[in-house]
Amino acid sequence: MVEPLNALRAEQVAVETRALNVFYGDTQALKNVSLPVARHRVTALIGPSGCGKSTFLRCLNRLNDRIPGFRMEGKVRVLEMDPYSKHTDLIELRRRVGMVFQKPTPLPMSIYDNVAIGARSHYGLRGKLLDEVVEQALQRAALWDEVKDILKRPALQLSGGQQQRLCIARMLAVDPEVILMDEPCSALDPVSTFRIEELMIDLAKDHTVIVVTHNMQQAARVSHYTAFFMYGELVEYDASKQLFLSPQQKATEDYISGRFG
Ligand SMILES: Nc1ncnc2c1ncn2[C@@H]1O[C@H](COP(=O)(O)OP(=O)(O)OP(=O)(O)O)[C@@H](O)[C@H]1O
Ligand SMILES: [Mg+2]
């Protein structure tokens, strides 16, 4: 059982937005979104395409800034940091808040270096210790067996699903406290999907995980809490059991039962 959202104490909230409005030029992508995210839990974000899920994730580690026309209002707090304060160290923010993107983003370098890059730059790891971190990250991302003999090969030669797991490994190697995953399983086969779902559940023992998914069964299986967005608004947010078994809003019910979206 998970705590009802309204029973969360301040120290149990790892991430929070208050009255968050986001615009890209004339398009308003998020409307007055106030969303506390529970520490050491998996929170799923669901909703039809274009409803603002990726935008929400990108606000948490300040990845929207460079998008032309981007503007935001409201408050964002991640751990004890305000990502938008000029006093916030962006390098520290990105170390403590890891992200896996909707489209895989391998760097034009070897498989090994893709995973090692963050552990090297943030922690100065080298040699055997770095090898161990790389292997462990690839194991947890369910990719090790496929790449252990080709670590020096360019990552861009991997398949789409392998690239996605490589990006998960790259994120894990830095061991961020908050993990943002944007449709991490969309390019994966059922076996890899199962292993990444197990990974999310396991990570939540000591990490805060926020995952965007279009797969309702996945949201119900892995998440403790689920937030349903539509047209940039947070329509319903609750413990996942509650939201999937007895949604309070008609729109939520229609969406989770596949009537639209
Ligand atoms: N770089 C951008 N420039 C302009 N508008 C954008 C940009 N990115 C997103 N938008 C707009 O913001 C809104 C929310 O988009 P967002 O990508 O957050 O949706 P989403 O819920 O992640 O959708 P999907 O499920 O398809 O990934 C959409 O109307 C989209 O067109
Ligand atoms: Mg998206």
Side-chain angles (χ1 to χ4, degrees):
M1 275 303 282
V2 298
E3 305 80 2
L5 279 169
N6 56 15
L8 290 178
R9 297 187 307 276
E11 67 272 20
Q12 292 173 296
V13 175
V15 170
E16 183 163 25
T17 67
R18 291 224 181 132
L20 180 64
N21 288 301
V22 172
F23 305 84
Y24 300 110
D26 296 335
T27 311
Q28 186 165 2
L30 289 175
K31 297 175 190 159
N32 199 31
V33 173
S34 296
L35 196 155
V37 177
R39 184 169 182 265
H40 297 179
R41 299 283 187 223
V42 180
T43 297
L45 309 182
I46 62 168
S49 190
C51 69
K53 306 177 296 294
S54 297
T55 297
F56 182 83
L57 284 193
R58 288 197 301 260
C59 281
L60 304 180
N61 69 347
R62 230 176 101 181
L63 284 169
N64 287 322
D65 291 40
R66 298 218 187 124
I67 297 177
F70 168 80
R71 187 160 63 80
M72 68 157 261
E73 299 164 350
K75 283 212 159 59
V76 180
R77 183 177 64 79
V78 181
L79 301 168
E80 70 292 354
M81 298 175 285
D82 170 358
Y84 294 87
S85 158
K86 62 177 189 302
H87 304 294
T88 298
D89 178 353
L90 256 192
I91 293 174
E92 189 196 351
L93 179 75
R94 302 269 163 79
R95 176 176 63 76
R96 297 179 68 190
V97 184
M99 178 142 179
V100 178
F101 297 89
Q102 196 163 354
K103 286 191 205 119
T105 49
L107 301 164
M109 51 178 76
S110 70
I111 293 169
Y112 182 96
D113 285 338
N114 262 274
V115 182
I117 188 167
R120 249 193 220 120
S121 69
H122 288 297
Y123 304 118
L125 294 186
R126 298 281 183 278
K128 258 206 151 52
L129 217 50
L130 184 59
D131 292 348
E132 278 167 24
V133 166
V134 169
E135 174 174 346
Q136 202 197 19
L138 285 165
Q139 295 267 21
R140 291 190 91 187
L143 187 61
W144 176 249
D145 291 341
E146 286 157 71
V147 300
K148 62 178 190 287
D149 300 321
I150 53 165
L151 291 171
K152 295 225 163 79
R153 258 199 226 157
L156 291 164
Q157 288 178 8
L158 295 172
S159 75
Q162 289 173 328
Q163 290 185 4
Q164 187 63 316
R165 283 173 287 152
L166 183 73
C167 294
I168 292 172
R170 182 167 73 203
M171 178 274 296
L172 292 174
V174 179
D175 197 28
E177 292 155 67
V178 174
I179 293 173
L180 313 175
M181 298 175 120
D182 201 343
E183 296 186 50
C185 302
S186 59
L188 303 189
D189 62 64
V191 173
S192 312
T193 297
F194 177 76
R195 290 187 59 186
I196 298 305
E197 289 184 2
E198 298 273 280
L199 170 69
M200 287 189 250
I201 294 166
D202 189 50
L203 282 170
K205 287 179 191 150
D206 48 7
H207 298 76
T208 300
V209 180
I210 309 179
V211 58
V212 170
T213 178
H214 281 283
N215 180 330
M216 297 304 107
Q217 283 77 25
Q218 178 168 84
R221 269 195 302 267
V222 306
S223 71
H224 302 97
Y225 300 96
T226 297
F228 171 57
F229 286 80
M230 205 167 65
Y231 304 124
E233 284 178 50
L234 179 59
V235 175
E236 188 161 350
Y237 181 35
D238 214 328
S240 302
K241 279 217 169 74
Q242 180 72 27
L243 187 134
F244 285 104
L245 291 178
S246 48
Q248 302 296 300
Q249 304 291 327
K250 173 86 168 48
T252 314
E253 189 180 346
D254 286 349
Y255 183 73
I256 63 179
S257 60
R259 279 196 278 273
F260 70 79

